[in-house]
Amino acid sequence: GDSVTQMEGPVTLSEEAFLTINCTYTATGYPSLFWYVQYPGEGLQLLLKATKADDKGSNKGFEATYRKETTSFHLEKGSVQVSDSAVYFCALSKTSYDKVIFGPGTSLSVIP
Amino acid sequence: NAGVMQNPRHLVRRRGQEARLRCSPMKGHSHVYWYRQLPEEGLKFMVYLQKENIIDESGMPKERFSAEFPKEGPSILRIQQVVRGDSAAYFCASSPGAGVTYEQYFGPGTRLTVT
């Protein structure tokens, strides 16, 4: 079945370091891809999305490119801040009204 | 425009009691989804509902769990005779519906603790 795999955490970085969180997916067809972020004690917020191959989603300095040839959607940020500490979930959805399938999440801690 | 609302935010139940979780979707949204986040795990889909209809319940446990989205009022996730393993965060999400790629908007979650 459809699934999402992402790098295991936790990830600890110093402020201003470069961030990459790897994400790969398995799905038939052309799913939409998402990154959600969950801050401590809160619900999920959509961080960015891409709906077709080679699309680049970006928001708040984060970006990810939909690579169909490698079935990947890696999250990157050039310079992380302490406020970026959260759990990041890679996810996919097959259609506009279908359930979202989440990866296991990657916990990020950014230290000053 | 208020976001997805869930209540209660925290719920404590003793084993064997019933838990009722409520979700009010965003204004104009007719599709509701429930997800469960077990400790140290990702979110797992449970059920997808439209007004008065269950569309996909493939993620719902076969027993003790039920969901509804009546014509009027919030969506309800009901867990009967709760057990310790039901302790989790339950998230509701809503979307406008089919047509284009609509992302789902998530509520803050209900954290259920079974003692």
Side-chain angles (χ1 to χ4, degrees):
Chain A
D2 301 330
S3 65
V4 176
T5 303
Q6 60 185 106
M7 61 187 290
E8 296 290 328
V11 174
T12 302
L13 294 174
S14 297
E15 205 165 20
E16 299 184 4
F18 184 85
L19 169 71
T20 299
I21 301 178
N22 290 336
C23 170
T24 57
Y25 68 91
T26 300
T28 56
Y30 300 90
S32 293
L33 302 176
F34 308 90
W35 277 99
Y36 282 87
V37 58
Q38 184 179 31
Y39 297 101
E42 297 185 12
L44 278 77
Q45 301 175 26
L46 179 65
L47 181 59
L48 53 85
K49 68 176 182 180
T51 58
K52 59 183 187 296
D54 300 324
D55 265 3
K56 177 185 283 188
S58 61
N59 186 26
K60 299 181 181 179
F62 291 89
E63 58 181 36
T65 301
Y66 190 144
R67 301 287 189 201
K68 184 143 182 77
E69 64 275 14
T70 54
T71 62
S72 65
F73 193 54
H74 305 319
L75 182 68
E76 296 183 336
K77 186 176 185 182
S79 176
V80 294
Q81 306 300 312
V82 172
S83 57
D84 293 327
S85 298
V87 180
Y88 292 81
F89 293 93
C90 186
L92 69 82
S93 179
K94 297 290 287 290
T95 68
S96 59
Y97 48 87
D98 200 6
K99 59 182 178 283
V100 177
I101 297 170
F102 289 90
T106 301
S107 176
L108 171 67
S109 293
V110 180
I111 55 177
Chain B
N1 186 14
V4 177
M5 299 176 68
Q6 291 187 249
N7 66 80
R9 294 291 305 274
H10 300 274
L11 182 61
V12 179
R13 284 287 178 266
R14 291 198 180 98
R15 279 178 296 173
Q17 291 185 319
E18 178 180 285
R20 282 186 179 234
L21 288 62
R22 295 175 185 77
C23 169
S24 296
M26 287 181 69
K27 186 177 181 180
H29 286 195
S30 58
H31 294 221
V32 166
Y33 308 77
W34 285 93
Y35 296 83
R36 178 167 64 174
Q37 185 177 32
L38 292 166
E40 307 302 323
E41 293 187 19
L43 283 85
K44 303 294 185 186
F45 167 78
M46 298 181 75
V47 62
Y48 161 36
L49 311 103
Q50 296 177 22
K51 286 285 187 181
E52 300 184 283
N53 285 304
I54 296 174
I55 307 302
D56 180 357
E57 56 181 349
S58 58
M60 286 278 271
K62 293 289 186 284
E63 298 176 348
R64 302 186 298 108
F65 285 73
S66 63
E68 62 177 10
F69 189 17
K71 187 176 181 180
E72 301 291 338
S75 175
I76 306 288
L77 179 67
R78 182 182 178 205
I79 312 172
Q80 295 178 289
Q81 299 177 311
V82 296
V83 300
R84 289 232 171 99
D86 297 332
S87 295
Y90 292 82
F91 291 95
C92 168
S94 73
S95 72
V100 293
T101 303
Y102 289 116
E103 61 263 25
Q104 294 178 15
Y105 295 83
F106 282 78
T110 293
R111 282 157 178 81
L112 172 65
T113 302
V114 179
T115 61

